[in-house]
Amino acid sequence: GAVVSQHPSRVICKSGTSVKIECRSLDFQATTMFWYRQFPKQSLMLMATSNEGSKATYEQGVEKDKFLINHASLTLSTLTVTSAHPEDSSFYICSARDRRTMNTEAFFGQGTRLTVV
Amino acid sequence: GNSVTQMEGPVTLSEEAFLTINCTYTATGYPSLFWYVQYPGEGLQLLLKATKADDKGSNKGFEATYRKETTSFHLEKGSVQVSDSAVYFCALANTGNQFYFGTGTSLTVIP
């Protein structure tokens, strides 16, 4: 199946700094990528939908100035957590869908464990 | 609207026991249904899927049948192994590319 690579897998940062997470589709083009946040022992919460070449669509309650999303190409979307605080510590996962096959399946990255100290 | 309701865990089974994790959904239109598995510290991996009513998805001994009449997509495996220990998510995808996930069910299989 298609591969989505997410980097880094783990990051620890100081409170007040910014962290960038990358999500790449390695062998397919993805016009749409999704960013999720997962709290311990809970399900995935959709944060935003990232569309190539346009602004991301954020879910209600997600601060767009806090979580900056850029989808500059058909294979790369980035999530930047700005001025991170300990409450931003979480597991962040991206997913993408292959536009060639119009398959409804989504492919997920490995996730990024963010710890803000 | 679209939503997925999944059996709450955690579930603990002995090796070779039979597994059922219930999943029901509400959806507009004709969604595709999925089961994803998440191993500790990792992202989600597709386990199986079904795109229309009465389809049966299967993989690695796991099965689930898309039941439109009961709006269900229950996950089953006849004989679980220790390596099946993970969190299982039921999900649906409808128009607009968006996925809707259940809350996840943690499975622990003990030798």
Short mmCIF file of all heavy atoms in Angstrom, two decimals, chain A residues 10 31-32 34 36 38 41-44 46 49 59 91 93 97 103-111 113, chain B residues 32 34 36 38 41-46 49 51 87 89 93-104:
data_model
loop_
_atom_site.label_atom_id
_atom_site.label_comp_id
_atom_site.label_asym_id
_atom_site.label_seq_id
_atom_site.Cartn_x
_atom_site.Cartn_y
_atom_site.Cartn_z
N ARG A 10 9.42 11.51 17.51
CA ARG A 10 9.35 12.04 18.87
C ARG A 10 10.07 13.37 18.93
O ARG A 10 11.10 13.55 18.28
CB ARG A 10 10.04 11.08 19.86
CG ARG A 10 9.35 9.76 20.04
CD ARG A 10 10.12 8.88 21.01
NE ARG A 10 9.44 7.59 21.20
CZ ARG A 10 8.49 7.39 22.12
NH1 ARG A 10 8.13 8.37 22.91
NH2 ARG A 10 7.93 6.22 22.23
N THR A 31 -3.81 15.40 -2.68
CA THR A 31 -4.31 16.77 -2.67
C THR A 31 -4.84 17.16 -1.31
O THR A 31 -4.90 18.33 -0.97
CB THR A 31 -5.43 16.95 -3.71
OG1 THR A 31 -6.42 15.93 -3.49
CG2 THR A 31 -4.89 16.83 -5.11
N THR A 32 -5.22 16.17 -0.53
CA THR A 32 -5.77 16.44 0.80
C THR A 32 -5.05 15.61 1.84
O THR A 32 -4.89 14.41 1.68
CB THR A 32 -7.27 16.12 0.86
OG1 THR A 32 -7.94 16.84 -0.18
CG2 THR A 32 -7.85 16.51 2.20
N PHE A 34 -4.79 15.20 6.27
CA PHE A 34 -5.53 15.46 7.49
C PHE A 34 -4.59 15.41 8.69
O PHE A 34 -3.70 14.57 8.75
CB PHE A 34 -6.64 14.41 7.68
CG PHE A 34 -7.57 14.30 6.51
CD1 PHE A 34 -7.28 13.45 5.46
CD2 PHE A 34 -8.72 15.06 6.45
CE1 PHE A 34 -8.12 13.35 4.37
CE2 PHE A 34 -9.58 14.96 5.37
CZ PHE A 34 -9.27 14.11 4.33
N TYR A 36 -4.53 14.94 12.83
CA TYR A 36 -5.28 14.49 13.99
C TYR A 36 -4.43 14.66 15.25
O TYR A 36 -3.21 14.63 15.21
CB TYR A 36 -5.65 13.01 13.86
CG TYR A 36 -6.58 12.68 12.72
CD1 TYR A 36 -6.09 12.44 11.45
CD2 TYR A 36 -7.95 12.58 12.94
CE1 TYR A 36 -6.94 12.12 10.41
CE2 TYR A 36 -8.81 12.25 11.90
CZ TYR A 36 -8.29 12.02 10.64
OH TYR A 36 -9.14 11.70 9.62
N GLN A 38 -4.29 12.96 19.17
CA GLN A 38 -4.78 11.85 19.96
C GLN A 38 -4.32 12.00 21.40
O GLN A 38 -3.12 12.04 21.68
CB GLN A 38 -4.30 10.52 19.39
CG GLN A 38 -4.86 9.31 20.10
CD GLN A 38 -4.36 8.00 19.53
OE1 GLN A 38 -3.25 7.92 19.02
NE2 GLN A 38 -5.19 6.97 19.58
N LYS A 41 -5.22 7.24 25.51
CA LYS A 41 -6.36 6.31 25.62
C LYS A 41 -7.64 6.90 25.05
O LYS A 41 -8.74 6.53 25.48
CB LYS A 41 -6.55 5.89 27.08
CG LYS A 41 -5.34 5.16 27.66
CD LYS A 41 -5.57 4.67 29.05
CE LYS A 41 -4.35 3.94 29.57
NZ LYS A 41 -4.55 3.41 30.94
N GLN A 42 -7.52 7.77 24.10
CA GLN A 42 -8.70 8.33 23.45
C GLN A 42 -8.58 8.19 21.94
O GLN A 42 -7.56 7.79 21.41
CB GLN A 42 -8.86 9.80 23.82
CG GLN A 42 -9.18 10.03 25.28
CD GLN A 42 -9.52 11.48 25.56
OE1 GLN A 42 -10.04 12.18 24.70
NE2 GLN A 42 -9.24 11.94 26.77
N SER A 43 -9.66 8.53 21.27
CA SER A 43 -9.68 8.40 19.82
C SER A 43 -8.98 9.57 19.16
O SER A 43 -8.49 10.48 19.82
CB SER A 43 -11.13 8.30 19.33
OG SER A 43 -11.15 7.98 17.96
N LEU A 44 -8.97 9.54 17.85
CA LEU A 44 -8.35 10.61 17.10
C LEU A 44 -9.32 11.77 16.94
O LEU A 44 -10.48 11.58 16.58
CB LEU A 44 -7.94 10.11 15.72
CG LEU A 44 -6.71 9.23 15.63
CD1 LEU A 44 -6.98 7.86 16.19
CD2 LEU A 44 -6.22 9.14 14.20
N LEU A 46 -9.94 15.04 14.78
CA LEU A 46 -9.53 15.76 13.59
C LEU A 46 -9.29 17.22 13.94
O LEU A 46 -10.17 17.89 14.50
CB LEU A 46 -10.60 15.65 12.50
CG LEU A 46 -10.31 16.37 11.19
CD1 LEU A 46 -9.09 15.75 10.50
CD2 LEU A 46 -11.52 16.33 10.28
N THR A 49 -8.09 19.97 7.99
CA THR A 49 -7.94 19.36 6.67
C THR A 49 -7.06 20.28 5.84
O THR A 49 -7.35 21.48 5.72
CB THR A 49 -9.29 19.17 6.00
OG1 THR A 49 -10.12 18.35 6.84
CG2 THR A 49 -9.14 18.52 4.64
N GLU A 59 -11.08 22.50 12.31
CA GLU A 59 -12.26 22.08 13.04
C GLU A 59 -12.56 23.08 14.16
O GLU A 59 -11.68 23.82 14.62
CB GLU A 59 -12.07 20.68 13.61
CG GLU A 59 -11.90 19.61 12.56
CD GLU A 59 -13.09 19.47 11.65
OE1 GLU A 59 -14.21 19.22 12.17
OE2 GLU A 59 -12.93 19.62 10.43
N PHE A 91 -0.06 13.22 20.98
CA PHE A 91 0.36 12.41 19.83
C PHE A 91 -0.36 12.98 18.61
O PHE A 91 -1.58 13.04 18.58
CB PHE A 91 -0.03 10.95 20.07
CG PHE A 91 0.62 9.95 19.15
CD1 PHE A 91 1.99 9.84 19.09
CD2 PHE A 91 -0.14 9.12 18.36
CE1 PHE A 91 2.60 8.91 18.25
CE2 PHE A 91 0.45 8.18 17.52
CZ PHE A 91 1.83 8.08 17.46
N ILE A 93 -1.02 12.85 14.50
CA ILE A 93 -0.97 11.91 13.37
C ILE A 93 -1.52 12.58 12.13
O ILE A 93 -2.55 13.26 12.18
CB ILE A 93 -1.79 10.64 13.65
CG1 ILE A 93 -1.36 9.99 14.96
CG2 ILE A 93 -1.67 9.64 12.51
CD1 ILE A 93 -2.20 8.78 15.33
N ARG A 97 -4.89 10.82 1.41
CA ARG A 97 -5.61 9.94 0.49
C ARG A 97 -5.02 10.12 -0.90
O ARG A 97 -4.69 11.22 -1.32
CB ARG A 97 -7.10 10.24 0.53
CG ARG A 97 -7.66 10.03 1.92
CD ARG A 97 -9.11 10.40 2.03
NE ARG A 97 -9.97 9.31 1.62
CZ ARG A 97 -11.27 9.30 1.86
NH1 ARG A 97 -11.84 10.30 2.47
NH2 ARG A 97 -12.00 8.29 1.46
N ASN A 103 -9.47 6.13 -4.16
CA ASN A 103 -9.78 5.15 -3.13
C ASN A 103 -10.18 5.86 -1.85
O ASN A 103 -9.61 6.87 -1.48
CB ASN A 103 -8.54 4.29 -2.89
CG ASN A 103 -8.86 3.02 -2.14
OD1 ASN A 103 -9.62 3.03 -1.19
ND2 ASN A 103 -8.28 1.94 -2.58
N THR A 104 -11.16 5.31 -1.17
CA THR A 104 -11.58 5.98 0.05
C THR A 104 -10.65 5.71 1.21
O THR A 104 -10.78 6.31 2.26
CB THR A 104 -13.00 5.54 0.44
OG1 THR A 104 -13.01 4.13 0.60
CG2 THR A 104 -14.00 5.96 -0.61
N GLU A 105 -9.73 4.78 1.05
CA GLU A 105 -8.82 4.46 2.14
C GLU A 105 -7.89 5.61 2.43
O GLU A 105 -7.43 6.31 1.53
CB GLU A 105 -7.98 3.24 1.77
CG GLU A 105 -6.94 2.86 2.81
CD GLU A 105 -6.10 1.68 2.36
OE1 GLU A 105 -6.48 1.04 1.37
OE2 GLU A 105 -5.07 1.42 2.99
N ALA A 106 -7.62 5.83 3.70
CA ALA A 106 -6.65 6.84 4.12
C ALA A 106 -5.40 6.13 4.64
O ALA A 106 -5.49 5.10 5.29
CB ALA A 106 -7.22 7.73 5.21
N PHE A 107 -4.26 6.71 4.34
CA PHE A 107 -2.99 6.17 4.80
C PHE A 107 -2.44 7.09 5.87
O PHE A 107 -2.45 8.31 5.72
CB PHE A 107 -2.01 6.05 3.63
CG PHE A 107 -2.53 5.17 2.52
CD1 PHE A 107 -3.16 5.73 1.42
CD2 PHE A 107 -2.41 3.80 2.59
CE1 PHE A 107 -3.66 4.94 0.41
CE2 PHE A 107 -2.91 3.00 1.58
CZ PHE A 107 -3.54 3.56 0.49
N PHE A 108 -1.97 6.47 6.95
CA PHE A 108 -1.57 7.25 8.10
C PHE A 108 -0.06 7.26 8.28
O PHE A 108 0.62 6.27 8.00
CB PHE A 108 -2.21 6.67 9.37
CG PHE A 108 -3.68 6.97 9.48
CD1 PHE A 108 -4.61 6.22 8.80
CD2 PHE A 108 -4.11 8.03 10.26
CE1 PHE A 108 -5.97 6.50 8.88
CE2 PHE A 108 -5.46 8.33 10.35
CZ PHE A 108 -6.38 7.57 9.67
N GLY A 109 0.44 8.37 8.77
CA GLY A 109 1.82 8.44 9.18
C GLY A 109 2.01 7.72 10.50
O GLY A 109 1.06 7.25 11.12
N GLN A 110 3.26 7.63 10.90
CA GLN A 110 3.59 6.88 12.12
C GLN A 110 3.26 7.65 13.39
O GLN A 110 3.27 7.09 14.48
CB GLN A 110 5.09 6.54 12.13
CG GLN A 110 5.59 5.84 10.87
CD GLN A 110 6.14 6.83 9.86
OE1 GLN A 110 5.57 7.90 9.63
NE2 GLN A 110 7.25 6.47 9.24
N GLY A 111 2.97 8.92 13.24
CA GLY A 111 2.65 9.73 14.41
C GLY A 111 3.86 10.42 14.98
O GLY A 111 5.01 9.99 14.80
N ARG A 113 5.13 12.02 18.69
CA ARG A 113 4.89 12.23 20.12
C ARG A 113 5.56 13.53 20.52
O ARG A 113 6.78 13.63 20.53
CB ARG A 113 5.47 11.07 20.92
CG ARG A 113 5.45 11.26 22.43
CD ARG A 113 4.07 11.17 23.00
NE ARG A 113 3.47 9.87 22.75
CZ ARG A 113 2.19 9.59 22.94
NH1 ARG A 113 1.37 10.54 23.37
NH2 ARG A 113 1.73 8.39 22.70
N SER B 32 -18.02 4.01 3.32
CA SER B 32 -17.12 2.88 3.41
C SER B 32 -16.75 2.70 4.88
O SER B 32 -16.69 3.67 5.63
CB SER B 32 -15.85 3.13 2.59
OG SER B 32 -16.15 3.22 1.22
N PHE B 34 -14.19 0.82 7.92
CA PHE B 34 -12.81 0.39 8.09
C PHE B 34 -12.57 -0.06 9.54
O PHE B 34 -13.22 0.40 10.46
CB PHE B 34 -11.84 1.56 7.83
CG PHE B 34 -12.01 2.21 6.49
CD1 PHE B 34 -12.98 3.17 6.28
CD2 PHE B 34 -11.18 1.86 5.44
CE1 PHE B 34 -13.14 3.77 5.04
CE2 PHE B 34 -11.32 2.47 4.20
CZ PHE B 34 -12.31 3.42 4.01
N TYR B 36 -9.03 -0.02 11.74
CA TYR B 36 -7.61 0.30 11.82
C TYR B 36 -7.06 -0.25 13.14
O TYR B 36 -7.78 -0.34 14.13
CB TYR B 36 -7.40 1.82 11.79
CG TYR B 36 -7.47 2.42 10.40
CD1 TYR B 36 -8.69 2.81 9.86
CD2 TYR B 36 -6.32 2.59 9.64
CE1 TYR B 36 -8.76 3.36 8.58
CE2 TYR B 36 -6.38 3.15 8.36
CZ TYR B 36 -7.60 3.52 7.85
OH TYR B 36 -7.66 4.06 6.58
N GLN B 38 -3.75 0.08 15.93
CA GLN B 38 -2.64 0.92 16.39
C GLN B 38 -1.85 0.17 17.44
O GLN B 38 -2.37 -0.12 18.52
CB GLN B 38 -3.16 2.24 16.97
CG GLN B 38 -2.06 3.21 17.38
CD GLN B 38 -2.61 4.50 17.94
OE1 GLN B 38 -3.64 4.51 18.60
NE2 GLN B 38 -1.92 5.60 17.70
N GLY B 41 2.76 3.24 20.50
CA GLY B 41 3.71 4.22 20.01
C GLY B 41 3.75 4.40 18.52
O GLY B 41 4.62 5.09 17.99
N GLU B 42 2.79 3.78 17.82
CA GLU B 42 2.82 3.86 16.36
C GLU B 42 1.56 4.53 15.83
O GLU B 42 0.60 4.81 16.56
CB GLU B 42 2.94 2.46 15.76
CG GLU B 42 4.23 1.75 16.15
CD GLU B 42 4.36 0.41 15.47
OE1 GLU B 42 3.60 0.12 14.52
OE2 GLU B 42 5.24 -0.38 15.89
N GLY B 43 1.57 4.80 14.53
CA GLY B 43 0.38 5.34 13.87
C GLY B 43 -0.62 4.24 13.59
O GLY B 43 -0.49 3.11 14.05
N LEU B 44 -1.62 4.59 12.81
CA LEU B 44 -2.67 3.64 12.49
C LEU B 44 -2.36 2.86 11.22
O LEU B 44 -1.86 3.42 10.25
CB LEU B 44 -4.01 4.36 12.30
CG LEU B 44 -4.82 4.61 13.56
CD1 LEU B 44 -4.12 5.60 14.46
CD2 LEU B 44 -6.22 5.11 13.21
N GLN B 45 -2.70 1.59 11.25
CA GLN B 45 -2.55 0.76 10.06
C GLN B 45 -3.90 0.20 9.68
O GLN B 45 -4.67 -0.22 10.56
CB GLN B 45 -1.60 -0.42 10.34
CG GLN B 45 -0.21 -0.04 10.79
CD GLN B 45 0.60 -1.25 11.17
OE1 GLN B 45 0.37 -2.35 10.69
NE2 GLN B 45 1.58 -1.06 12.05
N LEU B 46 -4.18 0.21 8.40
CA LEU B 46 -5.44 -0.37 7.94
C LEU B 46 -5.42 -1.87 8.17
O LEU B 46 -4.50 -2.57 7.76
CB LEU B 46 -5.64 -0.08 6.46
CG LEU B 46 -6.91 -0.68 5.85
CD1 LEU B 46 -8.15 -0.02 6.44
CD2 LEU B 46 -6.90 -0.51 4.33
N LYS B 49 -11.26 -3.45 5.31
CA LYS B 49 -12.26 -2.46 4.92
C LYS B 49 -13.37 -3.12 4.12
O LYS B 49 -13.21 -4.24 3.61
CB LYS B 49 -11.62 -1.35 4.09
CG LYS B 49 -11.11 -1.82 2.73
CD LYS B 49 -10.51 -0.65 1.96
CE LYS B 49 -9.98 -1.13 0.61
NZ LYS B 49 -9.34 -0.03 -0.15
N THR B 51 -16.54 -1.62 1.34
CA THR B 51 -17.02 -0.40 0.69
C THR B 51 -18.51 -0.40 0.39
O THR B 51 -19.05 0.65 0.03
CB THR B 51 -16.25 -0.16 -0.62
OG1 THR B 51 -16.41 -1.30 -1.45
CG2 THR B 51 -14.77 0.05 -0.34
N VAL B 87 -4.63 -1.40 19.94
CA VAL B 87 -5.89 -0.66 20.01
C VAL B 87 -6.54 -0.71 18.63
O VAL B 87 -5.88 -0.47 17.62
CB VAL B 87 -5.68 0.80 20.44
CG1 VAL B 87 -7.01 1.54 20.49
CG2 VAL B 87 -4.99 0.85 21.80
N PHE B 89 -9.55 0.56 16.02
CA PHE B 89 -10.46 1.67 15.74
C PHE B 89 -11.38 1.31 14.58
O PHE B 89 -10.91 0.92 13.51
CB PHE B 89 -9.68 2.93 15.36
CG PHE B 89 -8.91 3.55 16.48
CD1 PHE B 89 -7.58 3.21 16.69
CD2 PHE B 89 -9.50 4.47 17.33
CE1 PHE B 89 -6.85 3.78 17.72
CE2 PHE B 89 -8.78 5.04 18.37
CZ PHE B 89 -7.46 4.70 18.56
N ALA B 93 -15.88 6.39 6.28
CA ALA B 93 -15.52 7.49 5.40
C ALA B 93 -16.69 7.75 4.47
O ALA B 93 -17.24 6.83 3.86
CB ALA B 93 -14.27 7.15 4.60
N ASN B 94 -17.06 9.00 4.42
CA ASN B 94 -18.17 9.39 3.57
C ASN B 94 -17.68 10.41 2.56
O ASN B 94 -16.47 10.61 2.39
CB ASN B 94 -19.30 9.95 4.44
CG ASN B 94 -20.65 9.56 3.92
OD1 ASN B 94 -20.83 9.43 2.72
ND2 ASN B 94 -21.59 9.34 4.81
N THR B 95 -18.57 11.09 1.92
CA THR B 95 -18.15 12.09 0.94
C THR B 95 -17.36 13.19 1.64
O THR B 95 -17.53 13.43 2.84
CB THR B 95 -19.37 12.71 0.25
OG1 THR B 95 -20.22 13.27 1.25
CG2 THR B 95 -20.13 11.66 -0.53
N GLY B 96 -16.50 13.82 0.93
CA GLY B 96 -15.71 14.91 1.49
C GLY B 96 -14.40 14.46 2.08
O GLY B 96 -13.70 15.25 2.70
N ASN B 97 -14.04 13.20 1.88
CA ASN B 97 -12.74 12.69 2.31
C ASN B 97 -12.57 12.55 3.81
O ASN B 97 -11.53 12.14 4.26
CB ASN B 97 -11.59 13.57 1.80
CG ASN B 97 -11.39 13.42 0.31
OD1 ASN B 97 -11.55 12.34 -0.21
ND2 ASN B 97 -11.06 14.50 -0.34
N GLN B 98 -13.54 12.92 4.59
CA GLN B 98 -13.34 12.91 6.03
C GLN B 98 -13.62 11.55 6.63
O GLN B 98 -14.59 10.89 6.26
CB GLN B 98 -14.22 13.96 6.70
CG GLN B 98 -13.93 14.14 8.18
CD GLN B 98 -14.61 15.36 8.74
OE1 GLN B 98 -14.95 16.28 8.00
NE2 GLN B 98 -14.80 15.40 10.04
N PHE B 99 -12.78 11.18 7.61
CA PHE B 99 -12.97 9.94 8.35
C PHE B 99 -13.59 10.27 9.71
O PHE B 99 -13.29 11.29 10.32
CB PHE B 99 -11.63 9.25 8.58
CG PHE B 99 -11.25 8.29 7.50
CD1 PHE B 99 -11.04 8.74 6.20
CD2 PHE B 99 -11.11 6.94 7.76
CE1 PHE B 99 -10.70 7.85 5.20
CE2 PHE B 99 -10.77 6.05 6.75
CZ PHE B 99 -10.55 6.50 5.47
N TYR B 100 -14.41 9.34 10.17
CA TYR B 100 -14.98 9.44 11.51
C TYR B 100 -14.58 8.19 12.26
O TYR B 100 -14.84 7.07 11.80
CB TYR B 100 -16.50 9.57 11.44
CG TYR B 100 -16.96 10.78 10.68
CD1 TYR B 100 -17.09 10.76 9.29
CD2 TYR B 100 -17.24 11.98 11.36
CE1 TYR B 100 -17.49 11.88 8.60
CE2 TYR B 100 -17.65 13.11 10.66
CZ TYR B 100 -17.76 13.05 9.28
OH TYR B 100 -18.15 14.16 8.60
N PHE B 101 -13.95 8.39 13.41
CA PHE B 101 -13.42 7.27 14.17
C PHE B 101 -14.24 6.98 15.42
O PHE B 101 -14.78 7.90 16.04
CB PHE B 101 -11.98 7.56 14.60
CG PHE B 101 -11.00 7.51 13.48
CD1 PHE B 101 -10.71 8.65 12.75
CD2 PHE B 101 -10.36 6.32 13.15
CE1 PHE B 101 -9.82 8.60 11.70
CE2 PHE B 101 -9.45 6.27 12.10
CZ PHE B 101 -9.18 7.41 11.38
N GLY B 102 -14.28 5.72 15.78
CA GLY B 102 -14.77 5.34 17.10
C GLY B 102 -13.73 5.67 18.14
O GLY B 102 -12.62 6.13 17.82
N THR B 103 -14.04 5.42 19.38
CA THR B 103 -13.15 5.79 20.48
C THR B 103 -11.99 4.82 20.66
O THR B 103 -11.09 5.10 21.42
CB THR B 103 -13.93 5.86 21.80
OG1 THR B 103 -14.67 4.64 21.97
CG2 THR B 103 -14.91 7.03 21.79
N GLY B 104 -12.02 3.72 19.95
CA GLY B 104 -10.93 2.75 20.06
C GLY B 104 -11.20 1.73 21.16
O GLY B 104 -11.80 2.05 22.19
#
